[in-house]
Amino acid sequence: MSKRIKVFILAVIYSLTAFSTFSVQASKVTYSKSLQQIYKSRDVYKDTQKRLSEFNKNYSNITYLFSAGKSVQKRDLSVLKIGNGSKKIFINAAHHPREYIGTILTLNQIQNLLESYANNGSIDGQKIRNLLDKQVTFYFMPLVNPDGVQICINGTQSYYFNANKVDLNHNYDALWSKKITSTYSTGAKPFSEPETQAVRDLCLNIEFDLTIAYHAAGDIIYWYFGQQGADRTRDLAYANILKTTTGYSLVSSANYKSSTSGFKDWCVQKLKIPSFTIEIGGKRGIIKPVEWSYYNTIWKQNKLVPVRVAKQLMKQTKFNGDKTTALIYKNSLFRQGQILSVNGKQYIAEKAVPMLAGKLSINQQNKLNKTKISIKKTPYLRLETLAECLNLKFKFEKTSNTVYIS
Ligand SMILES: [Zn+2]
């Protein structure tokens, strides 16, 4: 063998190794800003977006970044999906602007999971590759209220609303009633706001098995909203795991109706899934963002939360209903029309995609018609054919029951 060929083969082997040895690649990951810098930034939204993109770029074999919708001021409500397991956990933060230390916490939880995955490591004795490849998928939305957070950090430290002056965590449809004062606003009706609509549609499309919303402060956990029987037992078990993990106390289930129409309340009452509000950042109320000096303690208390609830979720045997199929179209959650799976193929109601009318050639239309089916007299288009006609990539991920067209 000539020396030249030998060198060439070695170079090929070297580059293949470099690509396949994920942990080597992962250990080199650097970020443009530290978490502390993001917290103290004048543009937390932009820097959070940047960090999510960096996660998505560096760990693309296990992540997927998409937008669940837009805020009042048209900022993206970004969601980072991690994993391919069939059970789905949704963790969000910053419904309330001044509580955005939760944004930093969720970014840190994401990083911890991704690094552990890349290094084939364990968290709390749980092999993270086993968890994320087969069992559980996490969906993180670190900024539910990006407009409000920007208002908070650029002058009004105590800010509590979205850009329409609505308290997003009193805008969900769970014992909602109209109340609007200068310091309190439930909005004109349940889900009046684009942010709560996006969170609602995300939940209805993806069908989470458990949700956690981070707020501040108090070191307490809300878990109850009228559950009875087996649901109460199930949810109290999770609540006790969270209590042990964080060291926080559980809020008494008596008088739970004194605060209503929150995200957790809606998840418990309408979706009938375990759902928790965790108040981080010390045993006190706050009227401005939590000081950074609290962060180390917050991290220690909440580092294990995602994996602890995931482990309990794997033990849970009874789930609510069948999974619907979600469609992520060009990196955004597609919100009109329901996707149906028939014989392993995915279909969308023709009327749900009106923007196609007139855009397809006769050939494309004919092609689409060949795989069209009718369900209860309603015409449905096959998504795979639709993607082909539009020259787009189609992917169906069976474990998370999600269609990607990009
Ligand atoms: Zn709050």
Side-chain angles (χ1 to χ4, degrees):
M1 199 185 290
S2 82
K3 198 179 169 193
R4 214 162 152 186
I5 292 174
K6 230 176 186 172
V7 169
F8 174 74
I9 291 172
L10 280 175
V12 169
I13 291 172
Y14 175 78
S15 48
L16 285 174
T17 314
F19 278 114
S20 62
T21 312
F22 190 68
S23 55
V24 172
Q25 192 190 355
S27 64
K28 286 179 195 157
V29 172
T30 51
Y31 300 103
S32 52
K33 284 194 175 175
S34 70
L35 292 175
Q36 183 177 3
Q37 283 170 328
I38 297 173
Y39 193 58
K40 296 189 169 174
S41 164
R42 291 292 95 196
D43 198 336
V44 168
Y45 167 70
K46 193 186 85 191
D47 289 336
T48 300
Q49 292 287 94
K50 181 93 192 276
R51 177 56 82 98
L52 290 174
S53 301
E54 288 170 344
F55 286 144
N56 194 42
K57 191 171 143 239
N58 286 296
Y59 301 94
S60 58
N61 61 341
I62 194 71
T63 60
Y64 190 88
L65 181 62
F66 65 96
S67 172
K70 299 269 187 193
S71 67
V72 173
Q73 295 173 343
K74 306 296 174 211
R75 290 187 174 93
D76 270 313
L77 303 170
S78 294
V79 177
L80 188 70
K81 168 180 175 278
I82 305 175
N84 295 306
S86 57
K87 313 252 173 18
K88 301 166 187 180
I89 296 175
F90 178 37
I91 302 182
N92 66 56
H95 271 83
H96 293 138
R98 68 194 184 202
E99 300 166 11
Y100 78 97
I101 191 99
T103 301
I104 304 300
L105 173 61
T106 51
L107 291 175
N108 211 343
Q109 289 174 334
I110 292 168
Q111 187 171 330
N112 197 37
L113 286 168
L114 293 178
E115 284 175 357
S116 184
Y117 185 89
N119 296 320
N120 198 15
S122 301
I123 297 175
D124 197 37
Q126 169 66 51
K127 275 267 180 204
I128 295 305
R129 286 195 186 170
N130 285 350
L131 184 75
L132 296 178
D133 285 339
K134 298 179 189 128
Q135 313 271 2
V136 167
T137 304
F138 288 97
Y139 292 77
F140 282 93
M141 188 191 269
L143 272 177
V144 174
N145 185 359
D147 300 348
V149 169
Q150 286 308 113
I151 295 169
C152 166
I153 58 183
N154 288 303
T156 319
Q157 283 207 314
S158 64
Y159 205 67
Y160 205 58
F161 302 135
N162 73 344
N164 283 339
K165 292 208 161 77
V166 174
D167 178 342
L168 294 179
N169 209 38
H170 283 298
N171 192 239
Y172 290 85
D173 187 14
L175 301 181
W176 180 93
S177 65
K178 191 169 174 174
K179 187 181 168 194
I180 300 177
T181 69
S182 61
T183 54
Y184 193 94
S185 171
T186 61
K189 59 181 184 185
F191 298 118
S192 59
E193 303 310 301
E195 294 90 353
T196 49
Q197 289 164 17
V199 171
R200 173 197 64 194
D201 292 351
L202 181 74
C203 292
L204 296 178
N205 274 282
I206 308 284
E207 294 201 320
F208 299 116
D209 296 296
L210 181 143
T211 71
I212 289 173
Y214 275 108
H215 286 250
D219 287 0
I220 49 175
I221 297 161
Y222 291 91
W223 68 279
Y224 188 73
F225 202 70
Q227 302 97 307
Q228 292 183 338
D231 284 358
R232 189 183 199 280
T233 309
R234 177 198 65 189
D235 296 356
L236 185 56
Y238 281 105
N240 278 316
I241 286 166
L242 289 170
K243 178 184 166 184
T244 310
T245 305
T246 58
Y248 301 165
S249 43
L250 302 184
V251 176
S252 160
S253 57
N255 302 323
Y256 72 94
K257 287 181 184 172
S258 62
S259 174
T260 63
S261 56
F263 168 68
K264 167 224 102 224
D265 308 337
W266 178 71
C267 289
V268 169
Q269 195 190 59
K270 297 285 160 54
L271 306 181
K272 304 206 181 301
I273 55 174
S275 180
F276 307 90
T277 298
I278 306 181
E279 302 270 0
I280 57 177
K283 288 183 181 177
R284 74 229 191 282
I286 55 162
I287 49 158
K288 61 183 171 79
V290 176
E291 292 81 7
W292 180 255
S293 56
Y294 282 78
Y295 186 69
N296 270 343
T297 306
I298 293 172
W299 173 239
K300 276 185 207 140
Q301 293 164 334
N302 289 275
K303 184 179 172 175
L304 299 181
V305 162
V307 170
R308 285 268 168 95
V309 292
K311 283 161 88 175
Q312 178 70 7
L313 188 61
M314 290 191 283
K315 289 185 201 158
Q316 189 184 312
T317 49
K318 193 172 158 279
F319 293 92
N320 291 294
D322 294 323
K323 297 275 172 229
T324 57
T325 304
L327 169 61
I328 295 172
Y329 176 74
K330 290 187 174 178
N331 297 324
S332 289
L333 185 69
F334 192 81
R335 293 160 72 185
Q336 295 153 296
Q338 201 176 353
I339 312 302
L340 294 177
S341 284
V342 180
N343 296 329
K345 304 291 178 195
Q346 294 71 43
Y347 295 85
I348 189 166
E350 192 167 18
K351 64 179 179 203
V353 279
M355 68 282 217
L356 286 178
K359 282 203 177 169
L360 297 177
S361 70
I362 292 174
N363 274 351
Q364 287 174 319
Q365 200 70 55
N366 286 342
K367 194 175 175 184
L368 207 50
N369 285 342
K370 276 186 195 158
T371 57
K372 191 151 98 175
I373 59 169
S374 178
I375 299 170
K376 289 178 187 165
K377 291 184 182 166
T378 307
Y380 274 77
L381 304 175
R382 189 155 136 196
L383 282 170
E384 196 169 359
T385 319
L386 184 62
E388 250 177 73
C389 289
L390 299 168
N391 281 326
L392 294 169
K393 254 193 274 171
F394 170 92
K395 187 182 138 198
F396 174 59
E397 189 180 79
K398 203 176 171 194
T399 45
S400 63
N401 212 356
T402 305
V403 170
Y404 300 87
I405 294 180
S406 54

